[in-house]
């Protein structure tokens, strides 16, 4: 693939009272931007929510596991495929094989989390059985199998490994650069966290019991947020077939638009859908439009949503005029946003994303 292709996602979304993403003290995360305190949701929190939704959108062979228990997964795969093996009998061999492959992700608490695909687990399991049954000496087997084991851990990555990347400090050759980037979400306006004082009654306390069985407070805020993410289609295309590329781009788009981190969701029932989605296919570079909100939006009588949408559209227009970098294709979900791109619904948007990635793949052959 010689030509660049990026797909940028810009979302305006209102969230009612909530604590979507907490810091180490239990407070909703915040950030200073434009000299004003903003509500914030970390990129890690939203990527986790997206990966959870991937389970609905992709088959099991296209999603991976981020875990310290890689050895257990490989052992379980071996025992599933081979009735004559037991977990106790294969545990030592599996750890030996993983160490040979340069992966430290056994059951030890000191081991790092390792991102692995279902197909890589299967490949490792098959090679481990072959290694175990090989009558050669341990030194001879190590020389014979080392490169094959590294290849088993490197080849056939899952879609989420390609999108979000993988770092293996113990063996950098197993690393994958992320083809997608997700920005920290920030509110388009200033916020002040609030406190909800709550009580819980003991149902079995008896008629003579007075007061609450439990008292507490929970910190929360509400905001209209700007969310941004981008996919490097060129980088994805280097590792996927055309059908897989279309599936990956469509799945990423749907998960980014529809997902919501689950922090305190039972308490606040804060799950919403975006008020506006603007998607741009670009051949120059990704462009984050957070600068539209460096000057915080003020609510007035109309709330934050409409003013945020107008600010985003105006900022994008100025940026494109100043730098001459208008996207090659653009689509928008939302009211009165046609000046940014073709107005579509979610299904139509996902279809358009599939079409542009397929065209890009075909032209790059």
């Amino acid at each position: 693939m010689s030509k660049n292709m990026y797909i940028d996602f810009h979302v305006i979304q209102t969230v009612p009272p909530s604590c979507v993403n907490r810091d180490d003290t239990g407070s909703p995360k915040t950030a200073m931007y434009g000299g004003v305190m903003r509500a914030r949701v970390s990129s890690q929190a939203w990527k986790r929510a997206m990966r959870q939704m991937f389970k609905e959108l992709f088959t099991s062979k296209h999603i991976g596991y981020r875990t310290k228990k890689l050895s257990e997964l490989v052992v379980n795969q071996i025992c599933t495929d081979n009735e004559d093996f037991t977990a106790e009998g294969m545990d030592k061999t599996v750890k030996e094989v993983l160490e040979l492959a340069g992966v430290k992700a056994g059951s030890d608490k000191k081991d790092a989390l390792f991102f692995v695909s279902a197909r890589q687990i299967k490949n490792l399991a098959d090679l481990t059985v072959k290694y175990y049954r090989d009558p050669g000496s341990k030194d001879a087997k190590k020389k014979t199998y080392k490169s094959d084991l590294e290849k088993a851990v490197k080849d056939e990555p899952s879609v989420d490994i390609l999108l979000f990347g993988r770092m293996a400090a113990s063996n950098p050759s197993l690393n994958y650069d992320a083809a997608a980037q997700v920005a920290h979400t920030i509110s388009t306006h200033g916020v002040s966290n609030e406190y909800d004082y709550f009580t819980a009654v003991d149902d079995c306390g008896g008629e003579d019991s007075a007061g609450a069985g439990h008292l507490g407070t929970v910190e929360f805020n509400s905001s209209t947020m700007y969310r941004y993410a981008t996919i490097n289609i060129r980088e994805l295309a280097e590792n996927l077939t055309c059908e897989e590329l279309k599936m990956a781009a469509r799945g990423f788009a749907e998960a980014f638009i529809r997902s919501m981190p689950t922090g305190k969701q039972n308490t606040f029932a804060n799950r919403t859908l975006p008020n506006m989605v603007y998607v741009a296919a670009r051949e120059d570079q990704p462009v984050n439009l957070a600068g539209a909100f460096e000057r915080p939006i003020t609510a007035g009588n109309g709330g934050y949503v409409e003013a945020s949408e107008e600010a985003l559209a105006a900022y994008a227009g100025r940026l494109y005029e100043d730098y001459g970098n208008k996207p090659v294709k653009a689509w928008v979900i939302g009211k009165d946003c046609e000046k940014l791109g073709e107005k579509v619904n979610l299904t139509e948007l996902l279809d358009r994303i599939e079409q542009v990635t397929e065209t890009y793949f075909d032209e790059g052959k």
Side-chain angles (χ1 to χ4, degrees):
M1 302 290 175
S2 58
K3 185 171 62 173
N4 288 328
M5 172 62 74
Y6 305 96
I7 299 181
D8 285 354
F9 299 86
H10 310 273
V11 170
I12 299 294
Q13 184 167 356
T14 295
V15 178
S18 58
C19 186
V20 174
N21 187 205
R22 288 170 281 173
D23 64 17
D24 58 334
T25 67
S27 301
K29 288 187 176 178
T30 55
M32 288 292 294
Y33 185 61
V36 173
M37 189 64 71
R38 313 296 182 101
R40 177 173 67 91
V41 180
S42 72
S43 59
Q44 296 91 327
W46 223 295
K47 284 188 284 188
R48 170 65 177 172
M50 292 172 67
R51 286 187 56 235
Q52 291 300 104
M53 186 168 282
F54 284 172
K55 295 175 183 178
E56 304 173 21
L57 303 174
F58 299 142
T59 63
S60 59
K61 73 176 184 178
H62 289 114
I63 57 177
Y65 308 89
R66 182 179 279 115
T67 181
K68 290 185 177 183
K69 298 184 177 182
L70 176 56
S71 62
E72 292 182 24
L73 294 176
V74 177
V75 167
N76 291 340
Q77 184 69 53
I78 291 172
C79 294
T80 299
D81 296 342
N82 304 272
E83 294 181 357
D84 53 329
F85 286 113
T86 64
E88 294 78 9
M90 291 305 296
D91 184 63
K92 182 179 179 181
T93 302
V94 168
K95 289 181 179 177
E96 182 180 313
V97 162
L98 290 178
E99 186 176 346
L100 190 58
V103 179
K104 292 183 178 179
S107 300
D108 194 318
K109 291 183 179 179
K110 294 181 181 179
D111 289 340
L113 288 165
F114 189 76
F115 210 170
V116 64
S117 73
R119 288 180 290 190
Q120 289 169 347
I121 292 170
K122 170 67 173 171
N123 294 339
L124 278 169
D126 292 344
L127 268 175
T128 301
V129 170
K130 189 176 178 182
Y131 177 93
Y132 180 83
R133 288 174 169 160
D134 192 319
S137 68
K138 184 175 287 189
D139 288 342
K141 289 196 291 186
K142 285 183 176 181
K143 290 181 181 178
T144 302
Y145 287 90
K146 181 174 175 59
S147 61
D148 287 342
L149 286 166
E150 289 180 341
K151 191 172 186 295
V153 185
K154 180 72 174 178
D155 292 353
E156 298 190 275
S158 58
V159 168
D160 48 358
I161 289 175
L162 293 174
L163 285 168
F164 298 134
R166 179 174 75 185
M167 188 187 77
S170 56
N171 188 351
S173 68
L174 304 179
N175 290 352
Y176 273 98
D177 290 332
Q181 297 174 350
V182 179
H184 285 235
T185 294
I186 59 170
S187 62
T188 64
H189 52 88
V191 299
S192 296
N193 289 345
E194 301 178 68
Y195 291 87
D196 176 38
Y197 170 79
F198 66 88
T199 65
V201 177
D202 186 341
D203 291 339
C204 301
E207 294 183 3
D208 59 342
S209 63
H214 176 72
L215 306 174
T217 60
V218 60
E219 200 170 352
F220 69 94
N221 59 39
S222 59
S223 65
T224 295
M225 305 183 296
Y226 170 68
R227 300 170 47 212
Y228 170 76
T230 185
I231 312 176
N232 185 333
I233 297 298
R234 176 181 178 179
E235 191 167 332
L236 270 183
E238 292 174 355
N239 294 283
L240 298 174
T241 65
C242 183
E243 288 304 310
E244 288 174 331
L245 178 65
K246 289 160 56 180
M247 174 195 67
R250 184 187 185 103
F252 181 93
E254 183 169 0
F256 183 69
I257 292 167
R258 291 181 49 224
S259 64
M260 172 70 72
T262 56
K264 290 287 185 180
Q265 196 149 198
N266 289 343
T267 301
F268 291 103
N270 55 266
R271 186 151 188 167
T272 62
L273 288 170
N275 304 88
M276 170 191 176
V277 178
Y278 169 46
V279 179
R282 317 185 59 85
E283 294 180 352
D284 50 357
Q285 68 177 68
V287 179
N288 185 321
L289 298 177
F293 312 109
E294 196 273 340
R295 176 181 293 178
I297 301 297
T298 54
N301 295 324
Y304 292 113
V305 173
E306 187 175 345
S308 297
E309 292 174 350
E310 291 174 355
L312 182 69
Y315 182 78
R318 292 196 303 272
L319 213 63
Y320 298 157
E321 184 177 343
D322 290 344
Y323 291 93
N325 60 347
K326 190 175 180 180
V328 293
K329 297 279 186 180
W331 311 277
V332 64
I333 299 173
K335 182 182 177 182
D336 301 327
C337 299
E338 290 85 348
K339 56 186 173 184
L340 282 174
E342 178 190 2
K343 184 173 171 57
V344 293
N345 61 32
L346 178 59
T347 301
E348 292 168 339
L349 172 63
L350 300 177
D351 289 343
R352 301 291 196 280
I353 290 171
E354 276 200 12
Q355 291 164 9
V356 78
T357 53
E358 182 176 25
T359 300
Y360 172 79
F361 191 93
D362 291 341
E363 289 178 351
K365 285 185 176 179

